[in-house]
Amino acid sequence: GRVHGGEAILFVDLRSAADRREAPGIAGSIALTVEEVAEQAATLPKDKPIVFYCACPEDASSAHATLLLRRSGFETVWALQGGLTAWQEAGEDRNK
């Protein structure tokens, strides 16, 4: 994937503060709510890929935040399919 290409990806953790306390997110992530993404879109980098993740069914928050930024002219923005759970499971698989 893109991570191995040496490209710096900005991971954005959309989970609630309580969820973040219970389970650590992806290393180097920044934590924002969907509302903050909308308010701060102008301050986010357009020159690096942005990946949103959450812990909600169907990745609803991530999909919403991705759409918000795409409408603001961001091209390299995605929702992490399966959210944090899928990422952690993939990581565990790699370490076996």
Side-chain angles (χ1 to χ4, degrees), residues 70-86:
R70 289 221 166 130
R71 285 184 180 147
S72 300
F74 287 76
E75 290 172 15
T76 54
V77 55
W78 295 275
L80 184 63
Q81 280 188 313
L84 185 59
T85 310

Side-chain angles (χ1 to χ4, degrees), residues 13-23 31-33 53-55:
D13 189 341
L14 297 170
R15 298 175 302 150
S16 69
D19 282 347
R20 290 198 306 273
R21 277 194 299 275
E22 278 179 33
L32 293 173
T33 64
Y53 65 94
C54 56

Side-chain angles (χ1 to χ4, degrees), residues 48-52 65-67 69-70 74-79:
K48 67 160 71 170
I50 298 175
V51 176
F52 292 107
T66 299
L67 197 59
L69 286 196
R70 289 221 166 130
F74 287 76
E75 290 172 15
T76 54
V77 55
W78 295 275

Side-chain angles (χ1 to χ4, degrees), residues 5-40:
E7 205 171 0
I9 293 177
L10 175 63
F11 286 100
V12 181
D13 189 341
L14 297 170
R15 298 175 302 150
S16 69
D19 282 347
R20 290 198 306 273
R21 277 194 299 275
E22 278 179 33
I26 297 168
S29 302
I30 62 168
L32 293 173
T33 64
V34 173
E35 291 74 24
E36 288 167 339
V37 170
E39 290 162 11
Q40 299 176 28

